[in-house]
Amino acid sequence: MEISARARFAPSPTGRMHLGSARTALYDFLLAQKTKGQFILRIEDTDQKRTLEGAEQELKDGLRWLGLQWDEGPDVGGDFGPYRQTERKDIYLQYARKLVELDSAFYCFCTPEKLKKVRDQQIENKENTHYDGTCRNISIAEADRRIADGETHVIRFKTPNEGQTRVVDQMRGEMTFDNKTLDDIILVKSDGFALYHLAAVVDDHLMKITHVFRGSEWLPTFPLHALIHRAFGWKEPVWVHLSVFLKPSGKGKMSKREQADFIKDGKSIFIKDLRDLGYLPEAVINWISLMGWSYDSHSEFFTMDDLIDKFSLDKLNASPAAINFTKLDHFNGLHIRNLTIQDLSHRLVPFFEAKGYKPDPSIMEKITPIIQERLVTLDESVGLAGFFFEENVAPDVQELIPNKMSAGEAYAVANDILMVLESANTVAHEVLEPQMRELVEKLNLKPGQVFGILRVAVTGSIVSPPLFESMEIIGKEKVLERMKNAIKILGQMISK
RNA sequence: GCCUCCAUCGUCUAGUGGCCCAGGACGGAGCCCUCUCAAGGCUCAAACAGGGGUUCGAGUCCCCUUGGAGGCACCA
């Protein structure tokens, strides 16, 4: 890893940015950072029919949110642009022609209908479907004549018929393919647009890409891409085919239907959703970094800087990984606790605002420390601390009555609590708590019983951040008000 | 069907021939701490898919089987 790597992330804007692409981009980024090279973003939009409105934006937003800023690419430019393939159409055409002249590609005039017939016949004969070679030996001169006549055509790669192709994947090692199993793939469509196979190879060469991380779905065409490089006489980049992510059960990729189910469950494989769900980019990065890579036998908590420092190709793992959302939760908790109060407090604000609260920054900074270690996602903070911003709370009568206590007893205790509260000249937790504990002893009760009533009265819930710290933030006036309200509710219960 | 890849606890993984009757983490169970919920600490259960080789010795190398995955478009 001595040389500076130029690693590219080359998504096609045909869908939403998900965990798989994020992990590929992460490895690209880490390698580039580690080697003081460049991380390049290239938009592979040659299939305009499938290009999705807004997809490129979501991609870029996702990368930036994750902290994967590209050194070259759309918006930032670079010496090897343009970085959007639709803007490079002529380049591909030029190289395709060159390949024809090199006798490594040929013009093909077969119609889609004819092709389909051939394929159907092959299926019937239980043969592998492949191009039948009809146009393979049409001379350039004849092809040029037919093209001049306006005949529609594509350009195909002339795959060797005999022998084998040996390719090397840095992570998986050497692989050998029989050339007769390789198809004469289309390089340029009849509309004049290059296909991925040509465009990616040409761009990787022209952009001086040294390392290609891509999904294992490219393994079957791997020999073809290597062959195209070789036909031009170009040096191949270092190839790494990352394994796919499997659904949590480990059985297959996640379907559209299952993706929808996960979102209902507060989980998602889409980066944008994860952000909205209250996950930290730090946690997502840490989580996906470990799906296919590891550092040693015991370290798991990594910041981006750690990863840049520790990343290496030889620790990559080729086996497919099942997505484990509970582990994301774990990492999110760890990274939340790793944030400064101020940082976390800022990140919490949008979640409160989304629920209609207008969180005061100074109050937020007081609340943050007492909820920090209780959060799994940012989103949860609202349910846990919303009561700080409410005018009043609505305690449930049953919850106001501790276990093994009658309504009447609870009512009496509540009044005792109120007395302590009223006579206290402060609700500072270090002062109030000892006073309450005195009351607990005087009444010969368990702390949980007295504090339970107080908690439900003040926070409206049986689960809350630390009680006395919470009351301090709420202020004496509101605490008294809420305690009186709880007594009223208990009183009504008794009189029934 | 054909081609290719992958194979250690439920899951993510460490392990590159002896350091492994297999280590860490998540999740699970239990205990401790404790004003609730968490967080934290400690403990426990839990795996080398099967079969052949190679070797003094195999989780680690080779082969087969099985299982899983990916691909077989004028998509990427």
Side-chain angles (χ1 to χ4, degrees), chain A residues 34-89:
Chain A
K34 170 106 193 171
T35 62
K36 307 227 174 347
Q38 291 81 37
F39 172 47
I40 297 133
L41 175 61
R42 186 173 73 218
I43 305 295
E44 309 223 323
D45 54 354
T46 51
D47 186 0
Q48 292 170 300
K49 280 196 292 286
R50 291 203 314 152
T51 294
L52 225 66
E53 183 85 26
E56 182 182 325
Q57 195 56 46
E58 185 169 329
L59 223 21
K60 292 189 290 192
D61 289 346
L63 287 173
R64 290 200 178 99
W65 179 69
L66 289 169
L68 307 176
Q69 179 58 53
W70 52 100
D71 302 304
E72 295 174 25
D75 302 350
V76 304
D79 295 339
F80 302 87
Y83 293 91
R84 222 176 256 108
Q85 289 187 329
T86 43
E87 296 166 28
R88 301 172 65 81
K89 183 177 177 183

Side-chain angles (χ1 to χ4, degrees), chain A residues 181-293:
Chain A
T181 65
L182 269 25
D183 205 358
D184 289 338
I185 48 166
I186 292 177
L187 263 18
V188 178
K189 292 184 277 185
S190 56
D191 65 2
F193 260 106
L195 245 28
Y196 173 90
H197 304 115
L198 208 225
V201 168
V202 168
D203 285 347
D204 286 344
H205 171 73
L206 260 22
M207 295 180 182
K208 296 189 167 19
I209 301 301
T210 61
H211 293 72
V212 172
F213 286 98
R214 43 159 35 170
S216 63
E217 64 268 23
W218 293 110
L219 240 22
T221 44
F222 181 19
L224 259 0
H225 298 155
L227 249 15
I228 295 172
H229 266 100
R230 293 171 195 176
F232 280 118
W234 295 338
K235 186 169 180 278
E236 290 171 57
V238 172
W239 305 93
V240 178
H241 293 85
L242 269 11
S243 286
V244 291
F245 286 158
L246 273 19
K247 55 187 162 185
S249 65
K251 308 275 182 218
K253 287 209 289 192
M254 217 175 278
S255 68
K256 285 264 158 29
R257 172 69 206 262
E258 289 162 325
Q259 289 166 10
D261 285 348
F262 273 108
I263 292 170
K264 274 184 236 141
D265 220 20
K267 313 284 178 221
S268 176
I269 62 164
F270 299 111
I271 302 305
K272 169 87 163 45
D273 295 344
L274 258 15
R275 174 188 191 163
D276 295 342
L277 255 13
Y279 289 99
L280 259 33
E282 290 91 335
V284 175
I285 289 289
N286 197 161
W287 180 48
I288 60 178
S289 75
L290 260 12
M291 299 175 72
W293 175 85

Side-chain angles (χ1 to χ4, degrees), chain A residues 93-320:
Chain A
L93 232 34
Q94 185 190 321
Y95 279 95
R97 175 70 188 194
K98 196 168 164 191
L99 224 39
V100 174
E101 287 162 3
L102 253 19
D103 197 31
S104 285
F106 60 92
Y107 291 99
C108 170
F109 300 91
C110 298
T111 62
E113 297 72 35
K114 189 227 159 186
L115 258 18
K116 185 173 186 312
K117 242 160 85 183
V118 170
R119 199 175 307 132
D120 289 346
Q121 187 58 241
Q122 288 168 341
I123 290 170
E124 201 169 308
N125 298 347
K126 301 206 163 150
E127 285 176 62
N128 297 333
T129 56
H130 60 275
Y131 179 63
D132 66 355
T134 305
C135 302
R136 229 174 182 260
N137 296 312
I138 293 175
S139 69
I140 299 184
E142 185 192 337
D144 282 346
R145 215 174 311 120
R146 290 172 69 172
I147 292 165
D149 283 347
E151 204 173 329
T152 59
H153 61 282
V154 300
I155 300 176
R156 288 180 183 272
F157 188 62
K158 196 179 270 188
T159 311
N161 284 328
E162 317 255 287
Q164 299 181 315
T165 296
R166 216 172 278 280
V167 287
V168 178
D169 175 291
Q170 176 79 7
M171 173 172 72
R172 297 167 191 260
E174 196 179 278
M175 281 170 238
T176 305
F177 294 76
D178 280 332
N179 289 338
K180 61 176 188 292
T181 65
L182 269 25
D183 205 358
D184 289 338
I185 48 166
I186 292 177
L187 263 18
V188 178
K189 292 184 277 185
S190 56
D191 65 2
F193 260 106
L195 245 28
Y196 173 90
H197 304 115
L198 208 225
V201 168
V202 168
D203 285 347
D204 286 344
H205 171 73
L206 260 22
M207 295 180 182
K208 296 189 167 19
I209 301 301
T210 61
H211 293 72
V212 172
F213 286 98
R214 43 159 35 170
S216 63
E217 64 268 23
W218 293 110
L219 240 22
T221 44
F222 181 19
L224 259 0
H225 298 155
L227 249 15
I228 295 172
H229 266 100
R230 293 171 195 176
F232 280 118
W234 295 338
K235 186 169 180 278
E236 290 171 57
V238 172
W239 305 93
V240 178
H241 293 85
L242 269 11
S243 286
V244 291
F245 286 158
L246 273 19
K247 55 187 162 185
S249 65
K251 308 275 182 218
K253 287 209 289 192
M254 217 175 278
S255 68
K256 285 264 158 29
R257 172 69 206 262
E258 289 162 325
Q259 289 166 10
D261 285 348
F262 273 108
I263 292 170
K264 274 184 236 141
D265 220 20
K267 313 284 178 221
S268 176
I269 62 164
F270 299 111
I271 302 305
K272 169 87 163 45
D273 295 344
L274 258 15
R275 174 188 191 163
D276 295 342
L277 255 13
Y279 289 99
L280 259 33
E282 290 91 335
V284 175
I285 289 289
N286 197 161
W287 180 48
I288 60 178
S289 75
L290 260 12
M291 299 175 72
W293 175 85
S294 63
Y295 178 59
D296 59 20
S297 63
H298 58 277
S299 317
E300 287 214 317
F301 181 87
F302 297 121
T303 61
M304 187 71 95
D305 286 343
D306 293 335
L307 291 171
I308 291 168
D309 180 48
K310 294 173 165 51
F311 186 73
S312 75
L313 259 30
D314 55 355
K315 302 294 273 179
L316 253 19
N317 185 312
S319 47

Side-chain angles (χ1 to χ4, degrees), chain A residues 280 282-283 286 301-303 331-339:
Chain A
L280 259 33
E282 290 91 335
N286 197 161
F301 181 87
F302 297 121
T303 61
F331 279 124
N332 212 51
L334 291 184
H335 279 94
I336 282 177
R337 271 164 255 132
N338 192 46
L339 257 27

